[in-house]
Amino acid sequence: MVIEEIKSKFPKRKKSIKNFYESCVLRKRFIKVENSDFIIHLEKAKHDLHRAIKEFEDNCWDWTIIKAYYSIHHAANALLIKKAGFFSKDHICLIVSLKYLELITNEFYYELRGLYSRFSDFSAFEMVYSLRKVSQYNVIKWKELSRDDAKIVLEFAKRFVRFVEEVTV
């Protein structure tokens, strides 16, 4: 499985998370928007999740991962917009901001990080982000993606979109 080759780049400690978040702010990675805009991002998240499910049913692992990843990305931005009034196109800054601003609980965050014991060194968000890059850009590695890789990402996307929907609507 390709998942086992992924190395973590996300900060782990509270101070590192704070420093990373502040760096994102300094680099202007966040864009102020109206809180009501969250609904557009949530709608897009649900659309992408629906498409990911269809790709999975068609045994198309790379596009399952890509679409599931984007459903997570749009759901994360929906949450950030609803609760903080800004969004981020920077994928890592987006996820770090959710943790730093405590928009997801420590319990939930660590549950996401430890979806499977073999992934305990990196967060589920990062796993999905890395797999999406392999799926989308690596013309050699994409063939190594498996049903299991796609299923893990898809199941995580379903749970995360449902979580965001519950806390925002």
Side-chain angles (χ1 to χ4, degrees), residues 43-74:
E43 183 180 344
K44 177 66 170 147
K46 293 190 313 190
H47 168 76
D48 286 348
L49 180 58
H50 174 76
R51 297 307 318 151
I53 292 167
K54 294 298 182 189
E55 295 294 347
F56 187 80
E57 290 168 356
D58 288 342
N59 299 322
C60 187
W61 315 137
D62 57 338
W63 280 101
T64 299
I65 291 167
I66 293 165
K67 283 300 191 179
Y69 170 79
Y70 279 108
S71 73
I72 294 165
H73 176 76
H74 289 295

Side-chain angles (χ1 to χ4, degrees), residues 10-19 99 110 113:
F10 276 93
K12 293 179 183 176
R13 292 190 235 16
K14 191 171 186 171
K15 183 160 178 62
S16 298
I17 291 168
K18 179 181 186 276
N19 290 341
K99 174 69 175 140
Y110 290 112
R113 289 182 56 109

Side-chain angles (χ1 to χ4, degrees), residues 9-14 16-24 30 80 90-104 109 123 125:
K9 294 178 187 166
F10 276 93
K12 293 179 183 176
R13 292 190 235 16
K14 191 171 186 171
S16 298
I17 291 168
K18 179 181 186 276
N19 290 341
F20 196 99
Y21 175 80
E22 290 172 352
S23 171
C24 292
F30 302 114
L80 191 60
D90 184 304
H91 301 236
I92 296 176
C93 287
L94 171 61
I95 302 310
V96 170
S97 69
L98 293 179
K99 174 69 175 140
Y100 177 73
L101 296 172
E102 298 180 351
L103 299 180
I104 54 177
Y109 181 75
S123 74
F125 289 113

Side-chain angles (χ1 to χ4, degrees), residues 129-142:
Y129 175 67
S130 296
L131 281 174
R132 189 271 311 178
K133 288 195 309 187
V134 169
S135 299
Q136 199 165 357
Y137 303 118
N138 193 323
V139 295
I140 296 169
K141 284 258 185 215
W142 77 269

Side-chain angles (χ1 to χ4, degrees), residues 147-160:
R147 181 182 194 282
D148 288 340
D149 293 328
K151 185 175 182 180
I152 289 166
V153 176
L154 182 59
E155 292 305 314
F156 176 78
K158 288 176 183 176
R159 288 180 54 233
F160 188 70

